[in-house]
Amino acid sequence: MSETPSGAAQQTPEQTPATTPPPAYTAREMMAIAAGRFIKDGDVLFAGTGVAMLAAAVAKRIHAPHAHIFFETGGIGPPLDELPMAVADTRVMSYSNLNAGLVEAFSYVANRRLHTIAFLGAAQIDKYGNMNSTVIGDYRHPTVRFSGSGGACDAGSLASAFIAFMQHGTRKFVEKLDYLTTPGWLTGGESRHHAGYRRGGPLAVVSDLGVMKFDEVTKEMYVAEHYRGVSPEHIAENTGFAIDVSRAVETEPPNAEELRILREDVDPQRLILG
Amino acid sequence: MGERNGLDGKLMTVAEAVKRYVRDGCQIAVGGFTINRNPMALVYEIARRKVRDLHLVAHSNGQALDVLVGAGCVARIEIAYGGNGRFAPTCFRFRKAVEGGEVLVEDYTNNQMTLRFLAGALNTPFIPSKSGLGTDVLQQEGFPPEIRDGDKVARKKVHVMADPFGHADDDVALLPALTPDVSLIHAQQVSTDGTVRIKGLTFADLEQCKAASAVIVTCEEIVPECYLRLDPDQNALPPFLVDAVVPVPYGAHPTACPRFYDYDPKHLNLYKEVAKDDAKWAAYLDEWVYGVESWDAYLDKVGGAQLVRIRANTVAGYAPGLDRR
């Protein structure tokens, strides 16, 4: 994910009508809360690094106290009293249900009894929710090298569903990925099934501008929600492929209690909030 | 229970262990995960000895990978992830080396790399997986055909086939086993008979060690054999898989060692600054790796107060309230 926090309050002025007071929260805070709202009490969550941890931690403290969080490293069910800086942070192994390793963690990601939702980030995403976290340019001679899959491709392949975090922009929401690291809906329609997957796929994309979902039949991305102060057209302009905005509604802004929990309880050092 | 002298011939210094087991061109597996339990004392020694042309195999490696690559020790990498979480979304020297064409990289996923080590441990030539179907991870090869000898480098990266047991339209990916020449890990405790105890997560350290031809374990402390035998459920590796045991307190610094110390945010932030810049990086290697004459000297450079700040709370296992900005 991009390391640059970009606040909704920093959107271009013409996007915000003069009558609307500037939102008293950042885009990253909105993202964490918007994503956290997808989490249901009792869900089993596979969290990656960054905003994913905020979303999981905030949901667990607000409306999903019985959600189970686990990490690909093998940390199963930590309470996250302190925010981990990486999925291998000792904070994912303290006071947990149990500690194991990667084999065990992926046996929960893939487990057919569990409804496992993964939270993932990437450098690029396409209209079918396929993601790139490997390279820009030619694979053998890249102009930019990223971290690589880690467990993202595995979660995209094996989990029941995944939610992606992205910074919006035409270089990130692209027509064609430089490298397909994590499988989304592949080429749309039934293609994911034909590739050999029997479940999973992207549920939503939470960006700094809004929330995108995927059409049930075509599996193409559409704008489902736009944050307050951001127009659906602004999202379309910042998307590198044609995107349907006709179904977009305004996102409920974070309330004072959600913000208090996020700022004072979840990330008081602003390690991820920035 | 009497103490047997089970470490005879295994107890050695970092320098002796690296000299004996880590040679130019060999394939090494490095344990830990991003900012946790990386065998850094061994990594610094490999850098100091200027070992070259290493073939590094790991799942999600961070600090160890970046120092080895940045010190010019590595020629080939098979890996799932080269990052350090919030301290480095992509490891800096790794990124520069790949973009500069200085190292060859073959990408897999965490699940795939773990399964490949498991296959190696079971002496099975390959293992099936459902990860990555339809992606470039399965379709793009990073290594050129001329180095694919079928020995340490698989003849092909992956083989996709129809599930021979289930439905004909259901594909699986076969992944080649990994059998590294040597596996390097850092553990909390090794007993006087060579049994290894790891606290916190084991990541894929156990599979890596079982797949390797030799295993070097650095540890925080050597404890009496009878102590690890009191609670064998907690133990990670048996004595007969361990070739070299090296006691190195703080041997994972600046990465964390659960129940002993947290990661060192001060050092990782310093690293983040120097690793971005070639001149600063060269100076860092001189100051922190090549110019350090002993592990004591390294710890003196880190500083007593900082080592106390990152010291783990004995209950939490990390350092609660540590300033991690």
Side-chain angles (χ1 to χ4, degrees), chain A residues 82-103:
Chain A
E82 284 195 9
L83 207 55
M85 294 282 270
V87 295
D89 195 312
T90 305
R91 287 155 187 78
V92 311
M93 351 179 163
S94 288
Y95 312 113
S96 56
N97 292 119
L98 66 100
N99 286 335
L102 275 70
V103 171

Side-chain angles (χ1 to χ4, degrees), chain B residues 67-145:
Chain B
V67 173
L68 287 173
V69 169
C73 303
V74 179
R76 300 170 190 167
I77 307 173
E78 292 178 63
I79 200 173
Y81 185 87
N84 252 353
R86 300 301 287 178
F87 292 103
T90 304
C91 282
F92 303 104
R93 301 314 302 181
F94 163 72
R95 175 178 169 169
K96 267 185 177 285
V98 179
E99 291 171 5
E102 295 157 35
V103 291
L104 292 172
V105 184
E106 186 122 291
D107 278 87
Y108 287 93
T109 71
N110 276 344
N111 185 38
Q112 291 169 348
M113 288 303 285
T114 304
L115 290 173
R116 296 179 67 203
F117 287 120
L118 179 63
L122 293 167
N123 201 16
T124 299
F126 53 84
I127 191 165
S129 156
K130 295 287 283 183
S131 280
L133 297 164
T135 71
D136 285 325
V137 178
L138 299 193
Q139 281 152 20
Q140 298 244 26
E141 298 212 337
F143 288 171

Side-chain angles (χ1 to χ4, degrees), chain A residues 1 3 28 49-51 72-75 81-95 98-103 106 134 139-140 142-151 153-154 157-158 178-183 186 193-198 269 271-272, chain B residues 33-36 59-60 80-82 85-87 89-90 94-95 98-99 105-112 114 130-137 140-144 157 169-171 200-204 207 256 258 262-263 315-325:
Chain A
M1 295 198 60
E3 287 307 290
R28 194 164 285 199
T49 313
V51 186
E72 66 195 272
T73 44
D81 295 337
E82 284 195 9
L83 207 55
M85 294 282 270
V87 295
D89 195 312
T90 305
R91 287 155 187 78
V92 311
M93 351 179 163
S94 288
Y95 312 113
L98 66 100
N99 286 335
L102 275 70
V103 171
F106 286 111
T134 306
Y139 176 57
R140 294 257 203 112
T143 50
V144 182
R145 171 71 208 198
F146 299 116
S147 59
S149 162
C153 171
D154 305 309
S157 300
L158 306 172
D178 287 65
Y179 182 101
L180 200 171
T181 313
T182 299
L186 295 177
H193 184 88
H194 293 315
Y197 297 115
R198 291 297 171 264
Q269 289 191 36
L271 298 171
I272 295 173
Chain B
F33 197 112
T34 60
I35 52 170
N36 212 305
H59 42 84
S60 285
Y81 185 87
R86 300 301 287 178
F87 292 103
T90 304
F94 163 72
R95 175 178 169 169
V98 179
E99 291 171 5
V105 184
E106 186 122 291
D107 278 87
Y108 287 93
T109 71
N110 276 344
N111 185 38
Q112 291 169 348
T114 304
K130 295 287 283 183
S131 280
L133 297 164
T135 71
D136 285 325
V137 178
Q140 298 244 26
E141 298 212 337
F143 288 171
K157 184 180 180 185
D169 66 340
D170 201 2
D171 281 350
L201 304 179
T202 49
F203 308 121
E207 290 79 11
D262 219 320
Y263 45 84
V315 179
Y318 57 89
L322 176 67
D323 187 345
R324 296 182 286 145
R325 283 168 290 192

Side-chain angles (χ1 to χ4, degrees), chain A residues 8 16 20-21 23 25 30 209 226-231 250-253:
Chain A
T16 309
T20 308
Y25 49 87
M30 182 70 251
L209 299 182
H226 60 95
Y227 298 151
R228 180 166 291 178
V230 178
S231 68
E250 185 177 286
T251 306
E252 179 79 21

Side-chain angles (χ1 to χ4, degrees), chain B residues 195-325:
Chain B
T195 302
V196 179
R197 177 168 293 181
I198 292 173
K199 300 301 292 175
L201 304 179
T202 49
F203 308 121
D205 285 15
L206 311 186
E207 290 79 11
Q208 289 180 14
C209 288
K210 290 174 201 168
S213 304
V215 173
I216 308 176
V217 183
T218 56
C219 62
E220 291 297 318
E221 57 188 15
I222 305 281
V223 297
E225 177 186 341
C226 63
Y227 176 67
L228 293 200
R229 284 185 185 272
L230 276 175
D231 195 0
D233 301 0
Q234 296 292 316
N235 298 339
L237 289 170
F240 49 81
L241 275 187
V242 178
D243 298 278
V245 175
V246 189
V248 192
Y250 284 96
H253 183 275
T255 70
C257 187
R259 308 219 160 263
F260 281 77
Y261 45 93
D262 219 320
Y263 45 84
D264 184 345
K266 188 178 164 195
H267 196 93
L268 290 171
N269 282 326
L270 164 78
Y271 188 91
K272 187 177 180 175
E273 284 315 302
V274 301
K276 289 174 184 166
D277 179 277
D278 289 349
K280 285 182 185 168
W281 171 248
Y284 174 89
L285 280 179
D286 283 339
E287 184 184 345
W288 286 91
V289 181
Y290 304 141
V292 178
E293 61 194 30
S294 67
W295 192 245
D296 283 356
Y298 176 87
L299 295 180
D300 282 345
K301 280 186 67 61
V302 176
Q306 185 62 10
L307 293 177
V308 170
R309 271 182 220 115
I310 64 171
R311 189 173 61 185
N313 177 285
T314 50
V315 179
Y318 57 89
L322 176 67
D323 187 345
R324 296 182 286 145
R325 283 168 290 192

